[in-house]
Amino acid sequence: MFRLNIFRRTGLFLCLVALDGAAFLAVDVAAQHSPVASVKKASAAAPEARSTASDIQAEDELLQLANQARRKAGAPPLAPDPGLSEAARAHARAMVAAGQLSHQLEGEPALPQRLATATDLLLDQEAENVGLDSSPERGHEHLMLSPPHRANLLNPAYNVVGMGAVRAGDRLYIVEDFGHSLPSYSETELKDKIATAVQQTREQARRPVLQRRDLLIADQVACSMAQADKLGTAEVHKLAERFTVLTYTSSHPETLPDSATRALRRDLHGYSIGSCFARTDTYPLGVYWVVLSLE
């Protein structure tokens, strides 16, 4: 049995950008799956007026401006997603209520958790820009002039977005939530993709085709891992008494981990696939939990 571990690194980026004679503070907290960036006018006081109504026109303009910039950069357009849009609007309203810019206000979940509660999309990457400006045009201009914000706006991996814009007095609070959306597979489709990868690995290694005979308990074992939010469970150990058991998590079922590729080059007779899709504390946006039993 093997374990596939993912380590995340977080860094802090600070820069002061001069725009039209005023200073703007850009902050980028970058992680493997959640790069985020914010920009605001450093001298701007929190406006007294408070609003909770979304500026739909401003959101549409922000989307158009983003896709215009992406087209010039050769990046594919972003498709608006209703769930991500609601997440962006909710965060914009929260910033208005708090009178400050932040990617995680006091008592508020982090970005992956916020997106997970708002959308059913399977995302393997996400990012956020937040800003405070006078108009969508000015907001987009200033975001594009700041390297971390520009990187998020032009990242070719992102294919979906939610735009949130809320006015407070003469200021516009802006939230842009980006994501890379993956196909959502049924249980049969998922197992077929894994099975295809297994047979392709055998062919490349010039080994005989394996007979697939899925075990009735295989899916239960996979779901036990999801429920425990870890790869090694008592059910996995019981299964390992009879088979060579490989367990892993993946958002790309068509690709096998290296350890599985090596194991499949051995003398084998058959295999079984167990799978379970779940959202957990470790994977708030969802992942496939896989049990591959070899005999």
Side-chain angles (χ1 to χ4, degrees):
M1 184 178 67
F2 75 97
R3 180 183 297 270
L4 181 63
N5 294 319
I6 298 176
F7 298 93
R8 301 190 179 193
R9 296 181 300 171
T10 301
L12 181 64
F13 174 86
L14 297 172
C15 71
L16 193 64
V17 185
L19 301 172
D20 299 337
F24 289 79
L25 179 64
V27 181
D28 184 34
V29 182
Q32 181 177 354
H33 294 284
S34 303
V36 290
S38 59
V39 65
K40 65 179 179 179
K41 191 169 183 177
S43 60
E48 295 182 359
R50 291 288 179 261
S51 171
T52 58
S54 298
D55 190 330
I56 304 300
Q57 182 177 350
E59 293 172 357
D60 290 342
E61 290 182 28
L62 286 166
L63 177 60
Q64 292 175 15
L65 290 166
N67 278 334
Q68 287 173 9
R70 289 173 68 87
R71 184 167 57 250
K72 291 179 181 178
L78 297 167
D81 174 70
L84 296 183
S85 297
E86 278 309 306
R89 290 165 184 158
H91 188 56
R93 290 193 294 267
M95 291 194 302
V96 170
Q100 64 176 5
L101 292 185
S102 174
H103 293 290
Q104 186 174 9
L105 296 163
E106 184 176 356
E108 186 183 39
L111 177 61
Q113 286 75 19
R114 286 195 278 115
L115 299 187
T117 59
T119 182
D120 292 329
L121 293 178
L122 173 57
L123 304 175
D124 66 345
Q125 297 181 55
E126 71 278 341
E128 181 174 83
N129 285 347
V130 302
L132 175 62
D133 220 297
S134 57
S135 69
E137 295 83 1
R138 298 274 294 176
H140 176 76
E141 176 188 355
H142 293 154
L143 291 170
M144 286 292 289
L145 288 173
S146 174
H149 306 83
R150 182 185 178 90
N152 283 341
L153 278 161
L154 301 184
N155 190 326
Y158 301 143
N159 54 12
V160 289
V161 71
M163 296 293 187
V166 175
R167 287 205 173 274
D170 61 352
R171 294 301 182 188
L172 184 69
Y173 282 78
I174 297 170
V175 178
E176 300 175 333
D177 285 340
F178 307 91
H180 178 234
S181 178
L182 297 170
S184 180
Y185 299 114
S186 68
E187 181 179 321
T188 299
E189 292 171 334
L190 172 65
K191 291 184 178 181
D192 285 347
K193 285 192 171 293
I194 297 172
T196 298
V198 167
Q199 300 298 7
Q200 287 176 344
T201 300
R202 294 289 290 181
E203 291 175 6
Q204 291 169 2
R206 298 183 179 179
R207 307 295 287 177
V209 173
L210 295 178
Q211 181 179 356
R212 175 180 165 186
R213 35 181 180 263
D214 289 345
L215 305 172
L216 294 177
I217 64 170
D219 292 336
Q220 298 176 14
V221 174
C223 287
S224 75
M225 298 192 305
Q227 292 170 0
D229 202 8
K230 64 178 183 179
L231 294 175
T233 64
E235 288 82 356
V236 171
H237 294 305
K238 290 179 183 178
L239 194 62
E241 294 174 0
R242 300 168 52 197
F243 307 97
T244 298
V245 179
L246 310 176
T247 65
Y248 62 95
T249 57
S250 176
S251 298
H252 303 271
E254 68 280 359
T255 303
L256 298 175
D258 290 340
S259 297
T261 300
R262 290 193 296 270
L264 286 166
R265 293 171 180 161
R266 304 199 308 253
D267 289 332
L268 300 168
H269 304 289
Y271 70 103
S272 173
I273 301 170
S275 65
C276 186
F277 176 81
R279 298 188 178 205
T280 67
D281 289 342
T282 303
Y283 302 97
L285 290 166
V287 77
Y288 298 111
W289 297 78
V290 181
V291 174
L292 191 59
S293 304
L294 307 177
E295 55 180 297

